């Protein structure tokens, strides 16, 4: 009769390697939840497509020659067709009738005497040359200049097209290329300014809500000073101080004036979370203040910052339109969705709707996709949602 040695059996069992399942991290769980959300993935694809378009435009792969006058003024979209000119037979064959003399003009006699004294010929009916009914007085000079440029090997001006895929503006610029080029300014202003504003609001709110006391009182006074001034007047005041036009100036203007909402929400979240058990446990193991603020508390309140960023992107794009309209926006020669909408308000009166439609649709698609993706990311990062 054989008896098994319990020591040997125990040692054989203890020799087997123990396997432990490693739990996934916060971002891995968030990515798994995002992949299950079709709306979030479609929105992410749209945002990535805009960013790729931005990179291609910056590098000059697409929309490089957006400022070339490739079409006639207000060239309609191709699917509408070229505008037909209403030219009658009488306007082609018969010259325009001379204007009747004003019998009550007090200077008519003086002008006649001056013309007779100088030997000037009587005014004749001008030759019909263009839409204005007169001959271009600079036509001969322009022909001479073009001929001289052609002999010097200069690039000959391209023939303007009567229609373009989505029309042209008053200068003949292609609306599609102009919209793509305008995305550089609008996306950069919206994203970078929102990122800086959220970063400032998060840092100030974290310091104020975590430490409290005199630090909180000082930052609250600073916050109240900014919120006591109307938002539009504050933007104009900062713009007047900077006294410069350009993307960097717009980003600084919007970032320095748009951090207050994020600060208020982040401060409240930090005041609530600093007394939670996990923060007290981190304090018990000797974690530093910086570690508790941004390694322990911030991942649990990051959804607030993301929601604020999506809101600020929309708000800053609108603010860029206001700044461009008032003369504090992009300089001359730089196009943005804001400057396109500014030009389109006058074109719409003439029935030229394509620039307004292109800028509005491009902006609406990006803002909607970015907002939907941010909402889905907020739900995926919220630890209270399973």
């Amino acid at each position: 009769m054989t008896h098994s040695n319990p020591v040997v059996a125990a040692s054989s069992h203890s020799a087997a390697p123990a396997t432990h399942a490693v739990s996934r991290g916060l971002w891995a769980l968030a990515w798994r939840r995002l992949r299950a959300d079709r709306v979030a993935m479609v929105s992410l694809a749209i945002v990535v497509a805009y960013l790729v378009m931005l990179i291609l435009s910056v590098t000059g792969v697409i929309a490089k020659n957006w400022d070339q006058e490739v079409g006639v003024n207000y060239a309609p979209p191709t699917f509408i067709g070229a505008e037909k000119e209403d030219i009658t037979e009488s306007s082609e064959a018969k010259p325009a009738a001379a204007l009747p003399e004003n019998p009550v003009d007090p200077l008519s006699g003086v002008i006649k005497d001056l013309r007779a004294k100088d030997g000037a010929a009587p005014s004749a009916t001008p030759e019909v040359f263009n839409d204005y009914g007169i001959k271009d007085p600079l036509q001969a000079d322009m022909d001479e200049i073009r001929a001289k440029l052609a002999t010097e090997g200069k690039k000959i001006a391209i023939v303007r097209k009567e229609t373009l895929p989505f029309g042209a503006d008053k200068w003949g610029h292609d609306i599609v290329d102009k919209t793509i080029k305008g995305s550089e300014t609008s996306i950069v202003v919206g994203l970078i300014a929102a990122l800086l504003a959220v970063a400032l609001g998060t840092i100030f709110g974290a310091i104020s809500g975590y430490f409290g006391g005199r630090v909180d009182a000082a930052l609250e006074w600073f916050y109240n000073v900014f919120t006591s001034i109307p938002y539009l007047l504050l933007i104009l005041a900062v713009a007047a101080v900077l006294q410069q036009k350009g993307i960097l100036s717009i980003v600084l203007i919007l970032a320095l004036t748009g951090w207050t909402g994020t600060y208020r929400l982040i401060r409240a979240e930090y005041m609530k979370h600093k007394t939670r058990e996990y923060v007290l446990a981190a304090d018990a193991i000797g974690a530093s203040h910086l570690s508790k603020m941004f390694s322990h508390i911030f991942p649990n309140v990051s959804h607030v910052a993301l929601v604020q960023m999506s809101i600020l992107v929309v708000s800053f794009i609108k603010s860029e339109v206001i700044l461009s309209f008032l003369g504090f926006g992009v300089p001359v020669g730089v196009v943005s969705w804001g400057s396109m909408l500014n030009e389109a308000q006058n074109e719409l009166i003439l029935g030229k709707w394509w620039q307004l439609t292109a800028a509005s649709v491009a902006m609406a698609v990006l803002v909607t996709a970015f907002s939907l993706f941010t909402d889905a990311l907020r739900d995926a990062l919220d630890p209270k949602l399973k």
Side-chain angles (χ1 to χ4, degrees):
M1 185 175 181
T2 59
H3 299 279
S4 60
N5 190 349
V7 178
V8 176
S11 63
S12 63
H13 286 293
S14 61
T19 59
H20 299 282
V22 180
S23 61
R24 295 188 177 184
L26 177 65
W27 293 103
L29 292 174
W31 175 245
R32 186 176 65 178
R33 295 174 185 173
L34 281 176
R35 286 186 299 176
D37 191 344
R38 294 184 178 180
V39 176
M41 297 309 295
V42 172
S43 302
L44 177 60
I46 294 175
V47 172
V48 171
Y50 269 85
L51 294 178
V52 171
M53 181 182 68
L54 171 64
I55 295 173
L56 294 178
S57 179
V58 171
T59 55
V61 177
I62 58 176
K64 180 180 180 181
N65 300 321
W66 69 271
D67 54 346
Q68 286 189 355
E69 300 175 0
V70 296
V72 298
N73 300 345
Y74 299 121
T78 304
F79 54 85
I80 293 181
E83 296 181 351
K84 296 181 180 179
E85 297 182 359
D86 188 11
I87 301 177
T88 59
E89 181 180 357
S90 59
S91 62
E92 294 179 354
K94 299 179 181 180
L99 294 176
E101 183 179 354
N102 188 358
V104 296
D105 186 4
L107 299 177
S108 60
V110 178
I111 293 176
K112 289 181 179 179
D113 295 339
L114 291 174
R115 287 176 178 172
K117 183 178 179 181
D118 295 339
S123 58
T125 303
E127 181 181 354
V128 177
F129 184 81
N130 53 21
D131 296 338
Y132 297 98
I134 59 175
K135 184 177 180 180
D136 188 0
L138 300 177
Q139 183 64 32
D141 297 333
M142 293 302 299
D143 291 339
E144 183 180 354
I145 293 175
R146 292 191 182 98
K148 184 178 180 180
L149 292 176
T151 56
E152 295 177 356
K154 302 294 184 180
K155 184 178 180 180
I156 302 176
I158 59 176
V159 179
R160 296 190 178 188
K161 299 179 181 178
E162 295 184 356
T163 62
L164 291 172
F166 208 80
D169 61 1
K170 62 181 179 180
W171 309 109
H173 301 154
D174 192 350
I175 293 297
V176 176
D177 291 342
K178 192 175 182 180
T179 305
I180 295 174
K181 194 66 178 179
S183 66
E184 290 186 25
T185 304
S186 298
I187 294 177
V188 167
V189 167
L191 292 179
I192 297 182
L195 182 61
L196 289 178
V198 170
L200 289 175
T202 301
I203 293 173
F204 292 158
I207 295 174
S208 178
Y210 179 82
F211 290 104
R214 294 182 178 180
V215 176
D216 183 33
L219 289 174
E220 273 293 292
W221 175 84
F222 192 58
Y223 163 79
N224 290 328
V225 170
F226 268 79
T227 54
S228 63
I229 305 174
Y231 180 67
L232 183 58
L233 294 180
L234 184 60
I235 288 179
L236 296 179
V238 177
V241 170
L242 293 178
Q243 287 291 333
Q244 288 184 353
K245 291 184 179 181
I247 297 178
L248 180 59
S249 299
I250 300 176
V251 169
L252 291 177
I253 291 170
L254 297 177
L256 293 176
T257 57
W259 59 271
T260 54
T262 305
Y263 162 83
R264 177 175 54 85
L265 296 175
I266 293 295
R267 173 180 174 270
E269 290 293 326
Y270 268 77
M271 293 178 65
K272 179 176 65 176
H273 279 265
K274 71 178 182 179
T275 58
R276 295 286 177 87
E277 290 80 3
Y278 70 93
V279 180
L280 298 177
D283 186 39
I285 62 176
S288 62
H289 293 300
L290 189 63
S291 176
K292 286 184 289 185
M293 290 170 58
F294 297 104
S295 297
H296 294 82
I297 300 179
F298 180 71
N300 294 287
V301 301
S302 59
H303 59 279
V304 177
L306 289 174
V307 172
Q308 283 297 303
M309 184 171 180
S310 65
I311 295 174
L312 288 178
V313 168
V314 180
S315 177
F316 287 166
I317 290 177
K318 296 178 182 178
S319 299
E320 186 268 329
V321 175
I322 297 175
L323 289 173
S324 299
F325 179 77
L326 296 177
F328 293 100
V330 294
V332 178
V334 179
V335 63
S336 68
W337 290 339
S339 62
M340 291 179 64
L341 293 176
N342 186 22
E343 295 177 7
Q345 64 179 346
N346 297 325
E347 297 177 357
L348 192 61
I349 302 177
L350 303 176
K352 317 300 181 181
W353 50 265
W354 34 89
Q355 182 165 202
L356 175 66
T357 303
S360 301
V361 170
M363 181 175 59
V365 171
L366 175 63
V367 168
T368 304
F370 191 82
S371 300
L372 292 175
F373 173 72
T374 303
D375 291 341
L377 185 61
R378 176 202 60 188
D379 297 338
L381 290 173
D382 194 346
K384 293 180 291 186
L385 296 178
K386 301 296 183 182

